[in-house]
Amino acid sequence: LLWAAIGRRRKAGEPPLINGWIPFLGKALSFMKDPSTFLLSQQQKFGNIFTIHLAGKYCTFFMDPFQFVYIVRNCKQLGFQEFADKMISRSFDVPSILSTKFPELNENLHRMYQYLQGKSLDMLSEDMMKNLQQIFERKCSQATDWEAEKMYKFCCSVMFEASFITLYGRVPAADGHKVISEIRDKFTKFDANFPYLVLGIPVELLGATKKVRKELIRHFSYQNMTKWLGGSEVIQARKDLFEKYELLTVYDKAAHHFTFLWASVANTIPATFWAMYYLLRHPEALAVVRDEIDHLLQSTGQKKGPGYNIHLTREQLDNLVYLESAVNESLRMCSSSINLRLCQEDFILKLDGNQKATLRKGDLVALYPPTLHMDPEVYEDPKEYKFDRYIENGKKKTTFYKRGRKLKYFLMPFGSGSTKCPGRFFAVNEIKLFLILFVTHFDAEIVENKNLGFDNSRMGLGILLPDSDIAFRYKIKSLEK
Ligand code: HEM
């Protein structure tokens, strides 16, 4: 009973075990308070691999980035599907996609991710550019003189609306814009309690979350969605797929659409915010990025600013290396996605050299990329924002070293291996397009003198939100002749 309460015993060959003395919680509180500091302190004491008792679960952390590849490529013994499926089902009120009621739904849904790549990605990015342009034009009419706004609120309203229209289509009514704002406000309320749902806290204990979630899901009813105009291939393909499953109810299908909406904006909005915040905080970075965009527009014979439509091919977007480096640098600073796997059986994981780790069925295995992103052996002065960190001799830099050895993994905001984000290419394009349009339409500056920190409640869950919003002002640029 004692071991059940405070933890279990380490067996031969297993990594050091850290039980903690708090019954049932183990080390969960210390971990959640500040995962990076906690994990680094355990690494100092126990080495690169250790198992921690976290609220009834046993989680083995691999801290050395050279070990990551052994976890990532072992999809058979280190799966993730069932664990993620339960969490998604509970959080978004969708039925399990692994249920035998829905044969091959999981595989079919994964197949749909092809519509986030290649030609479909080009179309998505083009539509996103058009939709962002329209929203910025609307903002221009309000910003003929300095217009003050909170920066997170600004990014959230622009990115939510543009992403929504690009993916799901335009809400045709005269008050279509208002409908999307309503969905956004409900999304923000739901998202604030998302970390508690992930932790397994019953939705009934989370105030209005259950009601808000139901209302959000209802927005994606068949009747509503058929009225929305345009929209993307990926959403159309998902709609067609759901129609093939008779046992999915109307509510279930709507809940699936809401889940995808959450995945497509919940990280992109804060990532856009941080990219913009760091650029405005670092005028030298903003000047270089602005210059790079100006050069591209000039060389392609395009005028910039209000009233002019910009068109950029995928290749041109890819070639904006300073912009990309600035986006990557902000992702390095603000991403906190833990990479989890579930051991499917007792087995010995072979690692670098002669190292190995004995793992138990039912335990979790975790990689925590923020410790890599802030590792001074990999990134010099890791706490500093250096917009050109990912540039070498004027080209993209993709070689980073630790202990003199080249790293395969050095930037992991989008997860790894089989669970890597399928929307990553679109996400980076969206952020780039937002920044391109922002700097070509407006002059802007931060007007509040404070440094932002992170809202720690989402540690481990993706891109962190700022701990407060910050005021900035922007003004329309004068038109080019
Ligand atoms: C999954 C990050 C944007 C769609 C994930 C995962 C991460 C992630 C870390 C894996 C979670 C896990 O380990 O289970 C991000 C970040 C983004 C972003 C940092 C923005 C900066 C997007 C966008 C879309 C998208 C724009 C869609 C248009 C998805 C989907 C999954 C996912 C559908 C689940 C994949 C699956 O079924 O396994 N994302 N994401 N994400 N992401 Fe993203």
Side-chain angles (χ1 to χ4, degrees):
L1 190 68
L2 180 71
W3 289 121
I6 63 166
R8 69 187 188 195
R9 274 185 215 240
R10 180 183 177 190
K11 288 188 196 158
E14 286 183 345
L17 176 64
I18 304 154
N19 269 318
W21 54 269
I22 308 177
F24 303 108
L25 284 179
K27 284 284 188 183
L29 297 179
S30 317
F31 176 77
M32 278 159 66
K33 199 168 145 218
D34 181 350
S36 289
T37 308
F38 173 71
L39 291 174
L40 290 171
S41 71
Q42 304 308 302
Q43 185 184 19
Q44 289 260 311
K45 285 190 217 158
F46 301 104
N48 283 327
I49 310 170
F50 45 83
T51 302
I52 311 180
H53 177 202
L54 295 172
K57 285 259 165 228
Y58 287 88
C59 191
T60 301
F61 284 85
F62 290 80
M63 298 294 288
D64 183 349
F66 292 112
Q67 294 164 343
F68 288 9
V69 64
Y70 300 95
I71 286 104
V72 171
R73 73 180 178 203
N74 190 334
C75 310
K76 213 171 128 243
Q77 287 155 314
L78 294 171
F80 184 62
Q81 294 272 304
E82 286 141 45
F83 184 78
D85 186 58
K86 271 197 198 125
M87 190 274 280
I88 290 169
S89 202
R90 175 172 79 226
S91 307
F92 297 99
D93 205 16
V94 277
S96 158
I97 54 171
L98 300 175
S99 158
T100 47
K101 266 168 76 183
F102 313 116
E104 290 182 33
L105 178 57
N106 179 35
E107 294 77 4
N108 287 332
L109 280 173
H110 275 79
R111 226 164 274 142
M112 299 298 134
Y113 296 151
Q114 64 177 292
Y115 295 113
L116 294 169
Q117 292 181 15
K119 281 225 152 45
S120 304
L121 173 66
D122 292 346
M123 274 159 63
L124 268 179
S125 304
E126 260 174 47
D127 284 351
M128 183 73 187
M129 183 66 153
K130 277 187 216 139
N131 294 326
L132 274 171
Q133 222 139 218
Q134 282 187 11
I135 296 168
F136 276 115
E137 290 296 326
R138 203 168 67 217
K139 292 264 175 208
C140 279
S141 59
Q142 300 156 5
T144 45
D145 200 356
W146 286 110
E147 173 81 11
E149 226 179 301
K150 291 284 187 185
M151 199 191 289
Y152 193 86
K153 200 168 156 241
F154 178 89
C155 292
C156 183
S157 89
V158 173
M159 285 305 267
F160 189 93
E161 185 176 347
S163 306
F164 187 95
I165 298 175
T166 305
L167 289 167
Y168 292 89
R170 202 168 283 280
V171 181
D175 62 351
H177 170 57
K178 219 176 106 212
V179 173
I180 295 178
S181 304
E182 266 174 38
I183 302 178
R184 184 199 61 221
D185 291 345
K186 285 179 197 159
F187 162 84
T188 308
K189 275 192 198 146
F190 168 81
D191 194 39
N193 276 330
F194 177 72
Y196 301 108
L197 290 171
V198 173
L199 284 175
I201 296 179
V203 69
E204 288 75 17
L205 300 180
L206 297 174
T209 309
K210 190 173 179 181
K211 181 172 156 269
V212 171
R213 183 174 69 184
K214 197 165 248 163
E215 287 169 9
L216 274 164
I217 291 172
R218 290 227 170 96
H219 279 288
F220 293 87
S221 69
Y222 181 78
Q223 288 96 315
N224 280 346
M225 285 185 81
T226 43
K227 286 188 216 140
W228 299 344
L229 305 172
S232 59
E233 278 180 296
V234 63
I235 296 300
Q236 189 55 50
R238 286 168 62 92
K239 274 201 251 175
D240 296 344
L241 176 68
F242 296 145
E243 287 316 309
K244 294 188 183 140
Y245 288 88
E246 277 174 20
L247 294 181
L248 274 180
T249 66
V250 171
Y251 181 86
D252 294 340
K253 291 174 199 165
H256 272 298
H257 290 303
F258 165 56
T259 310
F260 191 85
L261 172 81
W262 183 89
S264 67
V265 290
N267 287 306
T268 316
I269 292 170
T272 307
F273 166 80
W274 288 113
M276 176 172 171
Y277 171 76
Y278 286 122
L279 275 182
L280 290 189
R281 269 261 175 269
H282 295 85
E284 74 294 351
L286 181 60
V288 173
V289 167
R290 214 187 259 282
D291 214 40
E292 183 180 50
I293 295 167
D294 283 353
H295 262 97
L296 174 66
L297 294 181
Q298 252 175 26
S299 68
T300 53
Q302 303 189 64
K303 289 197 172 162
K304 61 175 190 202
Y308 293 118
N309 282 338
I310 299 174
H311 176 83
L312 297 174
T313 62
R314 186 199 318 200
E315 209 186 355
Q316 287 163 346
L317 262 187
D318 282 352
N319 287 339
L320 291 169
V321 287
Y322 281 95
L323 177 64
E324 184 158 313
S325 174
V327 171
N328 281 343
E329 177 66 346
S330 57
L331 287 172
R332 181 185 71 82
M333 308 272 289
C334 68
S335 74
S336 162
S337 316
I338 195 167
N339 293 206
L340 288 176
R341 303 286 190 272
L342 187 70
C343 293
Q344 307 292 319
E345 58 191 42
D346 289 347
F347 77 104
I348 296 172
L349 180 69
K350 294 214 173 76
L351 298 160
D352 234 4
N354 283 331
Q355 283 196 79
K356 45 193 166 192
T358 302
L359 299 171
R360 277 195 215 185
K361 182 177 177 178
D363 280 3
L364 291 169
V365 161
L367 312 178
Y368 192 62
T371 54
L372 163 67
H373 295 165
M374 286 292 150
D375 183 345
E377 279 192 303
V378 181
Y379 293 109
E380 204 185 322
D381 305 323
K383 288 195 175 136
E384 259 180 56
Y385 171 83
K386 297 187 184 177
F387 76 100
D388 55 357
R389 228 184 248 282
Y390 296 91
I391 300 272
E392 196 171 42
N393 304 325
K395 294 203 174 101
K396 288 182 200 188
K397 175 173 157 92
T398 51
T399 44
F400 288 82
Y401 295 86
K402 183 176 167 81
R403 304 193 295 267
R405 243 176 100 186
K406 193 175 156 197
L407 284 163
K408 181 169 163 67
Y409 296 100
F410 55 87
L411 183 64
M412 304 171 70
F414 295 108
S416 55
S418 57
T419 65
K420 202 164 181 184
C421 172
R424 61 194 180 279
F425 307 112
F426 182 50
V428 171
N429 281 357
E430 285 185 288
I431 302 170
K432 283 183 175 173
L433 294 172
F434 173 97
L435 292 173
I436 292 170
L437 288 172
F438 187 79
V439 305
T440 51
H441 278 72
F442 302 113
D443 287 317
E445 60 191 17
I446 293 175
V447 292
E448 224 172 327
N449 190 15
K450 65 175 177 187
N451 279 321
L452 295 182
F454 296 118
D455 166 1
N456 288 347
S457 68
R458 306 176 85 86
M459 282 289 178
L461 288 183
I463 304 294
L464 297 171
L465 269 64
D467 55 2
S468 68
D469 210 340
I470 190 160
F472 82 116
R473 59 179 197 161
Y474 62 103
K475 191 171 115 177
I476 187 169
K477 273 180 167 302
S478 45
L479 276 178
E480 279 206 335
K481 300 243 160 57

